[in-house]
Amino acid sequence: TMASMDGAPPPKRWRGMDSGLHGYLHEVALPSTWPDEDEGDAHGSVRLPRRTGDPARTYPFTLDGFQECACACIERKENVMVAAHTSAGKTAVAEYAIAVAFRDRQRVVYTSPIKALSNQKYRELSEIFSDVGLMTGDVSINANATCLVMTTEIMRSMIYRGSEVMREVAWVVFDEVHYMRDRERGVVWEESIISLSKDARMVFLSATLSNASEFARWICSVHGTPCHVVYTDKRPVPLQHYAFPMGGKGLFLVSDEQGQFRISNFAKLTASLDKPGKEDGNQNENGKKSKGGRDSKSKGGIIEDLVKIVKLVKDKNLYPVIVFSFSRRECETYASEMANKHIDFNTKEEQEMVTKIFESALGQLDDSEKQLPAVQAMLPLLHRGIAMHHSGLLPILKEIIEILFQEGLVKALFATETFAMGLNMPAKTVVFTALRKWDGERHRWMSSSEYIQMSGRAGRRGKDDKGIVIMMVDEQLDELTCKDLTSGKPGPLESGFRLTYYTLINLLGRTQGTDNMEQMVKKSFYQFQHELSMRQTESKLEEINEEVRTLEENTDESAKEYEGLRDKLDKAEKVMLEEMQKPGNCLKFLVPGRLVRISTEKAQWGWGVLLNVSQENNGQDASQYVLDVALRCKPGTGPSSEPLPVLQGDPDTELFIVPAKLSLTTGFSSLRLTLPKDLRKESSKKSLLSALAQVFKKFPDGVPQLHPYEDMQIKSTSFDAAVKEAKELELELKNNPHFQAVERRDRVATFEKKAALQAEAVRLRMSMGGGELQRFQQQLKAMTSVLKKLGCISENGVVLTKGRATCEIDTADELVTTELLFAGGFQSLNKHQCVALASVLIQSDETKEVVKLKEELSRPLLMLQDTAKQIAELSIACKVEGIQVEDYTAKFKPNLMDVVYAWSKGSTFAEICQMTEVYEGSIIRHIRRLDEFLTQLRSASKKLGDEELAQKFQEAQESVRRGIIFSNSLYL
């Protein structure tokens, strides 16, 4: 553990028990000035909080232990993080914090990562509390309310503007705080937390994390006040995880409600995937075998499998079901195919209710919008109790689907992973159509955190005794990956902090000079985690140095005794090994894919993968059986030369199939790997090598082995005697000084490991001590130089008129926008061209379409690209890191420029949808963000003293603010 930045001791730990007899963990991070024996008050002590007296809010149910503990922390007016699974009841804690604020006549802010979630939360809280407001980029309702719901970006903006509202805030609830790891937006959370008033108290709601206490220590170090962690990994509804073999039949329970992984069932699953003849189902339309992974089945084959699963869900009454896919197109295809197969969940009465809700919700649209293909295609699906949910849908359709799902009128929902983020809409069953995803850089397996978040939608509290999770899998899924997903621990919360011009210039506007920004860097979670990592490494190095110092020559007497004991132990282990090698004891475990260890008198080959077993001369002892084992060998060894083993950890290896007698097998692992179809191919060999490397990484202390009694069920008096003798000898060895010295040498891998760790510590000191901070300072200096050369700030760091305009821009690139404004780029355009040009500054969905623009749009676009090029070249000249001219200018894409231009000039929504392949929902999201950006452009123009341009942007906004794009949320 590590003290926080002001020297605070590590958090104290206590463990409590909740009302369901499941444990929760309570920790608290305390400032260094906190007394060792703190005096308690009406609500216990900081180490043992306890709620007494009249509660600020009562509930129609008994609070779980973790909820009670968190509410006590709130009564003590102390920061608290609540980390728990979906549906565990974190919302009750947030509501209690809001109730405390109302009781004490204080202001409270509830922040969420996305606007849709803010809208939903506003509706929920408005039903509980009397004075609730909403502030997003789209909507402002009751902006002076006691309880304000807002996006985190809005809160950060209000803090930087010195908002009077933010100065009055006593409590801030950060919902879904694990969004802090987001590469693009995570920095907003860090800046907001760091910049909040020291008098404000915070409640953090998060999914389960592996480093929640680390986060609490950071909060304590930044604000100098205690921060509690209340953590529970208890699931309100336990989960059963099943695997469905693609192209096969039946479900295999791979992990039960207690979290026990069923190895035998996974073996049956693997066997069903390897059945002869199944390979035919893996051919594509040209008759050629397709590549492994997600595409190893044709789309038609996947749909057939999915139809089987959905029918099973319907027949066994396992709905509502959420079917997760990682593609919006797949969601729509799968939902439509269910309807084509005549799957129908809803009764006639339910269909009538669907129609009534659907038509009522669409009442705010005009007739032409109601005739949109996307709207017309949805109702027949909804009648069947089937729907899809993804970011490309019309927002009003998404909300209708959410309402119908909550009302039990949508029984099968085909959704992308965004449905699992924030929206608390659980089902009885969750299905995964794939376990591999594209993350923007590569195809990879889902992380355990992603799987936990999505599978956690299965099981409704108070309705289901267990939740069902079904994974559609192919032969690529190995035992280790499956076990990691179903039984894996949550991942850590890692900082996504980075420097931005928006933050820099706003902080300069508050205080002259860059000291504030340097303080922001020093206080960031990023810097905190780096310092923690460095200290942990230094501590580890000190331990090893201590071990090395104790390595000294042992007396001849202890060395002689050691040799005698070692010899006896070798003999006992040989007896045990010979018993395990007997065909009657081990043959049933020698199946393809099993990991076995091979050793000869000359060399230790280590662990390899068993491919085949053959018998010679019908003999029955171990020497008559030959194993074909795929082993890691030195590169260059082949059929014409004798293979040589490699050292453990040597990355320079290749796979070689070596025949070895069973009598040379010195270890039988409990692990099995899935074998590629054809090991003659180099790609298959590399795949198996990679799988072996993952095993060694997963088990650095040794590959798990079959237990001779529990797994192999060996019954032999000679074996029992050898085991007993080995235990006694091991006990004697442990007390032998020579043995202890040898063991120490083994642990540090002599002095090589010490040298490696010392080199690592030097690297970490460079990067995380002064080095990392120095890198940020250099980047800060370079960015400040850019602002000076652009005339946004003076040589003394005073924000000038141009810079005050920059302070208003946080939806798009601050520098390019300000340059265009200041250089008259918008003045020469009409309002429709202004809208179109502004749309290019906002990021839009990727599309393969080649956009052909008319001269009235191509000319402004060229002006924007030239401006971007100049900014990029200036940034490089000022030594700003990570800037490439081509990449910088390429991020300004005109994907929706002509679409937005047509909408501004009066085209209908149906007409602009025909102009692009971009989803309707993505068009709406883009134009609503554009409206938010136009508000910022209007404010920036006023800062520049250009009222005429501000008026033009006002008129530009009015030209887009109409129709279905700006229809009200059903939650408001």
Side-chain angles (χ1 to χ4, degrees), residues 552-561 736-738:
E552 55 188 23
E553 290 298 322
N554 295 283
T555 64
D556 291 340
E557 187 179 340
S558 65
K560 187 176 179 181
E561 182 192 17
N736 180 275
H738 186 78

Side-chain angles (χ1 to χ4, degrees), residues 451-508:
Y451 184 85
I452 287 168
Q453 182 83 8
M454 296 164 76
S455 64
R457 298 295 157 185
R460 297 163 298 170
R461 193 170 191 174
K463 292 183 179 180
D464 304 319
D465 57 351
K466 61 179 177 289
I468 306 295
V469 183
I470 301 172
M471 304 173 276
M472 296 175 68
V473 305
D474 62 13
E475 60 274 9
Q476 272 210 331
L477 180 69
D478 59 72
E479 185 180 319
L480 268 177
T481 303
C482 187
K483 193 180 289 187
D484 274 353
L485 288 176
T486 58
S487 315
K489 294 180 181 178
L493 178 60
E494 294 179 336
S495 171
F497 186 82
R498 57 192 171 86
L499 297 176
T500 66
Y501 283 105
Y502 175 80
T503 305
L504 172 56
I505 200 156
N506 271 283
L507 289 177
L508 285 170

Side-chain angles (χ1 to χ4, degrees), residues 719-733:
F719 184 83
D720 295 342
V723 169
K724 183 180 178 183
E725 184 183 5
K727 286 182 178 177
E728 291 170 353
L729 289 165
E730 284 173 351
L731 193 60
E732 289 185 61
L733 272 173

